[in-house]
Amino acid sequence: MFTGEAYTKDAALRLLASEGEDLLRLYQRADEVRKEKMGDEVFIRGIIEFSNICARNCHYCGIRAGNKGVSRYAMDADEILETAYSMVGTEKTTVVLQSGETPAFTDEELGEIIRRIKGETGLSVTLSVGSRPLETYRYWHDCGMDRYLLRFETSDPELFRRLRPGSTLEERLRCLYDLKAAGVQTGSGFMIGLPGETLQVLADNILLCRTLDLDMIGIGPFIPHPDTPLGDEKNAYDDNREMFFKAIAVLRIFNPDAHIPATTAFDAVFPDEGRNRVLKVGGNIFMPNNTPLKYRKDYLLYPGKPCITESAEVCTQCAVMRIQAMGRKIGTGPGHSIKKRT
Ligand code: 5AD
Ligand code: SF4
Ligand code: FES
């Protein structure tokens, strides 16, 4: 957004409609805001997809409970810890533990894993394991959890209800407020182009991120998975994929001091270059896959996911090279939120 303008829905819609010279200006402004607020460092965070067991049935997701074709796995605590240890001394200063919304681990088991990673490696710890009660978030925070990722997926309550049976947007937002109340650095975000999403919804999604005052915001294109109820649908911007990058740029302008990752789904849509382009229009985080190779092919939320056969070392080096090739620096230190909270 350009000087003096308010952060309104109309402004977001206007920016999302940019074409030609205006579009170049939008991208340039987003990159300037990123540089001004977040600097040139790109933080690398290693993600461990430690279980693909999920009790939910989100209509878009390849590992939904109803997909019987998925071979289910859960890493045990030792294997998770060993994988986390392997990040020590690399460019990755945060471990992100992600799984389905699974009852496979108790709160205490996960708490112990957090405590040990935190105590024994000094890495920052992010969890992403779905909607949980406030007490659980508080408990994990006491164990040493620094951050939590929980996308709201869409700001349209009706679309949310339809695509995530058995849950409501209101409950999801409650979790986000609980995380903040528990003192956890909170990340959220949404998918771009869910079937039924309009530009109005996209603008609302961006505005909701701003209202939530998030520490991190991860967004990525919706990619239809053949073995899901949305398998025959298309991304709402299938004919206009530039919208994915416009969304990132507007998101950055509306959220100047939030961490914005270049999410993996961008590389699924634009192989080898999607994530680079995100880093050029507002992104400042790269999250290479750190899941042990033998599990990678079983964590397919969407088809075309990259890095299924590349080891953690290869992905990390790939990330380093991509970041440096665009003249940016590798982030050092914990990579916490830059927002000051009282
Ligand atoms: N396409 C793109 N992103 C997806 N996710 C789940 N399924 C898909 C899909 N088909 C995203 C959701 C979820 C995150 C872990 O992955 O936003 O929160
Ligand atoms: Fe489970 Fe998350 Fe997939 Fe929904 S999006 S089915 S909660 S893993
Ligand atoms: Fe995995 Fe490039 S990030 S190969």
Side-chain angles (χ1 to χ4, degrees):
M1 208 149 37
F2 306 97
T3 338
E5 208 170 342
Y7 295 99
T8 60
K9 184 169 172 182
D10 278 351
L13 283 168
R14 197 178 47 73
L15 291 175
L16 289 170
S18 307
E19 296 291 346
E21 292 275 297
D22 286 347
L23 183 55
L24 294 181
R25 252 200 307 278
L26 167 67
Y27 287 159
Q28 199 181 357
R29 182 70 194 130
D31 197 43
E32 280 165 15
V33 173
R34 183 274 306 159
K35 192 177 168 75
E36 220 169 276
K37 297 287 180 180
M38 313 306 284
D40 276 338
E41 285 192 313
V42 176
F43 286 92
I44 305 185
R45 320 214 198 267
I47 177 158
I48 306 175
E49 297 150 338
F50 67 93
S51 172
N52 65 355
I53 302 171
C54 188
R56 293 212 158 271
N57 257 315
C58 304
H59 283 196
Y60 41 79
C61 177
I63 65 169
R64 63 202 300 273
N67 186 357
K68 301 299 177 207
V70 176
S71 145
R72 303 285 167 176
Y73 70 88
M75 291 168 63
D76 65 22
D78 287 343
E79 200 176 11
I80 296 172
L81 284 161
E82 199 182 306
T83 310
Y85 291 146
S86 72
M87 290 186 205
V88 177
T90 71
E91 290 82 358
K92 292 165 283 196
T93 56
T94 294
V95 46
V96 182
L97 297 175
Q98 185 167 76
S99 74
E101 289 197 16
T102 170
F105 294 81
T106 64
D107 291 355
E108 289 71 26
E109 281 166 337
L110 281 175
E112 187 55 21
I113 291 169
I114 296 166
R115 210 189 291 279
R116 289 196 54 195
I117 295 180
K118 195 68 192 180
E120 296 171 25
T121 70
L123 295 163
S124 303
V125 178
T126 303
L127 241 68
S128 178
V129 300
S131 301
R132 303 289 174 117
L134 171 63
E135 305 77 65
T136 305
Y137 294 144
R138 281 225 166 95
Y139 165 65
W140 286 338
H141 186 240
D142 290 344
C143 294
M145 174 176 84
D146 300 283
R147 316 187 192 119
Y148 203 92
L149 303 178
L150 186 80
R151 289 187 178 178
F152 59 77
E153 313 293 4
T154 176
S155 62
D156 179 333
E158 196 38 49
L159 198 55
F160 188 103
R161 223 176 38 79
R162 211 162 28 165
L163 299 184
R164 295 185 58 96
S167 68
T168 64
L169 178 62
E170 201 183 341
E171 286 161 10
R172 198 74 166 174
L173 297 180
R174 176 80 261 145
C175 289
L176 290 169
Y177 286 113
D178 285 350
L179 281 162
K180 294 177 74 170
V184 179
Q185 296 171 46
T186 302
S188 190
F190 55 87
M191 278 174 281
I192 314 165
L194 283 169
E197 177 187 307
T198 58
L199 274 177
Q200 300 282 327
V201 175
L202 177 55
D204 281 336
N205 288 346
I206 294 172
L207 254 74
L208 179 55
C209 290
R210 184 175 162 86
T211 306
L212 291 168
D213 189 19
L214 298 165
D215 298 293
M216 298 161 284
I217 309 170
I219 71 173
F222 157 70
I223 303 167
H225 187 300
D227 304 326
T228 63
L230 299 186
D232 293 329
E233 303 281 344
K234 280 187 171 165
N235 186 293
Y237 311 109
D238 214 34
D239 301 329
N240 178 17
R241 294 174 171 194
E242 198 61 32
M243 191 57 76
F244 304 152
F245 299 102
K246 292 186 188 182
I248 294 278
V250 180
L251 185 73
R252 167 55 74 202
I253 291 169
F254 273 61
N255 298 272
D257 50 4
H259 286 303
I260 298 182
T263 56
T264 312
F266 275 91
D267 264 29
V269 180
F270 302 92
D272 303 318
E273 56 157 341
R275 284 184 279 184
N276 296 38
R277 286 196 61 194
V278 173
L279 293 177
K280 288 183 180 152
V281 298
N284 73 316
I285 303 280
F286 202 109
M287 293 168 65
N289 198 323
N290 218 99
T291 308
L293 271 180
K294 62 178 175 205
Y295 302 120
R296 298 262 184 113
K297 63 172 187 345
D298 297 322
Y299 206 89
L300 291 189
L301 308 182
Y302 46 80
K305 192 174 168 206
C307 310
I308 299 304
T309 55
E310 286 82 2
S311 67
E313 292 69 31
V314 168
C315 285
T316 306
Q317 276 326 297
C318 174
V320 168
M321 275 165 41
R322 289 167 76 162
I323 293 162
Q324 288 175 342
M326 58 182 89
R328 305 271 281 277
K329 300 188 199 94
I330 309 300
T332 54
H336 286 321
S337 174
I338 68 160
K339 296 196 177 188
K340 300 271 181 298
R341 306 209 186 272
T342 45

